[in-house]
Amino acid sequence: ILAVTGVQTCALPISGYLTLVALSRLADELANIIKRGGGINVKATISEAYNNKKIELTSYYVSMSWKFVMFFMFAIGSVVFSFIPLLLKVLLVAGGAENYVLAAAFIIPNIIATSIEEPIGTSENIILGANKPLIVTVVDIIGMGASFGLTYLYLFVWKIQEVYGFQGLIWLLPLGGFPIAVTRLIIFWRYIHKNICPVKFREFSWQAFVAPLIPSLILAGIAQLWQNFVFPPMVEAFGGTNLALIIAGTISILFAFIVCVMLIFFPLYTAFGGWDDNTLSIFHEAVEISGPSRFLFRPIDRASQWLGLKSPLHNRFPIQYQKAKEQAIELMKERHIKDKLTTLIRENEEAFI
């Protein structure tokens, strides 16, 4: 931007700016890990339910989308937030890529920026699935104009690059468009609630936000203990060399994703009321049809089923599904009848002509 306008408001050369952009993109790739489990594309299911006037079923799909998007975001995000910055520094130094160590500083801002991408993407899929694309187009066009205006304010009015220096740029590059993204998020979900189906935040808020938050905080504490009391002795035990750093770092990553996410987060999520009877049965069914990965999730499923029976919070905050189930059955019957009629017409096409 500075090169185009010809105005020099920051002493940072173009090469330095491009370096920061590259570091931010590296951190963004790591932050994007938190989207790997979520990102459920509900466009087709919403289209089928809403356009056949099954509003309760549409609302149920919305609730379940929030539940699973936030479930995976908290599970994986807590690991990325707690483990990855330190391990990134260690592995880059050990690999001789010290120049990229600064990418660790960009991870937290990029995690914050990434955290609302899936809720926004889900809202767009719901609106498009309901065949109401105009609002998305209008908001996107206005958002592009607002983005240029906000960039001008950052650089020439508030002069963040001068007032806050390098630290300001670390936050500005990933989060410059965050206010616009939050505005889009609010507009889209408000529109869905008013024009498509009820968005029952109070109903699914415990399973989507509170139940995964508590295990995430526990994982953050475990990460601090691991980094302070386990990782340094492990490096020394392997010889204290760069190879030792790589081995200890690899073990730490496996510990973070296998032990912390699968063996600690999942059961704790159940213990803190993350499942009700219906969603727990859905999880069990998903495990049974999961194919080659079934052996990994079956112990988690059994632990979750057991904790579901023992936890006092289980079924305290259910997502109501009865009316949605009735409408799903109605929809299946309607679809079955339509399929039969289509087959009949195709088989007797000459008679109809």
Side-chain angles (χ1 to χ4, degrees), residues 177-199:
F178 192 71
I180 296 173
V182 171
T183 303
R184 292 176 69 233
L185 179 74
I186 295 171
I187 291 173
F188 286 156
W189 282 105
R190 185 68 178 171
Y191 180 86
I192 291 170
H193 182 70
K194 287 293 185 180
N195 298 279
I196 297 177
C197 68
V199 180

Side-chain angles (χ1 to χ4, degrees), residues 290-306:
S290 59
S293 61
R294 188 183 308 157
F295 77 97
L296 290 173
F297 286 94
R298 184 163 278 170
I300 299 172
D301 176 44
R302 290 175 179 172
S304 298
Q305 299 292 335
W306 183 82

Side-chain angles (χ1 to χ4, degrees), residues 42-66 126 130 192 196-200 203-204 278 282 319-335:
V42 294
K43 192 185 301 181
T45 52
I46 292 293
S47 178
E48 184 179 47
Y50 178 78
N51 293 308
N52 283 283
K53 314 250 186 271
K54 309 300 182 186
I55 303 302
E56 285 297 326
L57 181 59
T58 305
S59 182
Y60 176 75
Y61 287 148
V62 169
S63 297
M64 295 298 285
S65 296
W66 270 104
I126 292 169
I192 291 170
I196 297 177
C197 68
V199 180
K200 302 176 182 179
E203 184 176 290
F204 64 73
N278 179 55
I282 292 174
I319 296 175
Q320 300 300 325
Y321 70 97
Q322 290 82 3
K323 291 182 179 179
K325 184 176 181 180
E326 291 174 4
Q327 291 189 350
I329 293 173
E330 292 173 3
L331 192 58
M332 291 174 65
K333 290 179 179 178
E334 292 173 10
R335 183 173 179 177

Side-chain angles (χ1 to χ4, degrees), residues 310-321:
K310 300 295 181 181
S311 172
L313 293 174
H314 177 69
N315 228 34
R316 288 283 300 276
F317 308 96
I319 296 175
Q320 300 300 325
Y321 70 97

Side-chain angles (χ1 to χ4, degrees), residues 130-150:
N131 198 25
K132 299 179 183 290
L134 180 61
I135 181 66
V136 176
T137 303
V138 171
V139 170
D140 285 350
I141 292 173
I142 295 174
M144 285 189 289
S147 179
F148 284 112
L150 198 57

Side-chain angles (χ1 to χ4, degrees), residues 149-186:
L150 198 57
T151 301
Y152 180 85
L153 291 174
Y154 287 146
L155 296 179
F156 302 112
V157 178
W158 299 325
K159 298 182 179 180
I160 289 177
Q161 71 281 4
E162 292 183 1
V163 176
Y164 298 100
F166 178 71
Q167 192 66 34
L169 291 174
I170 287 177
W171 289 86
L172 179 61
L173 287 175
L175 292 171
F178 192 71
I180 296 173
V182 171
T183 303
R184 292 176 69 233
L185 179 74
I186 295 171

Side-chain angles (χ1 to χ4, degrees), residues 6 12 71 86 159 215 228 277 303 309-310:
L12 186 69
F71 170 78
L86 172 68
K159 298 182 179 180
N228 293 330
D277 286 341
L309 296 174
K310 300 295 181 181

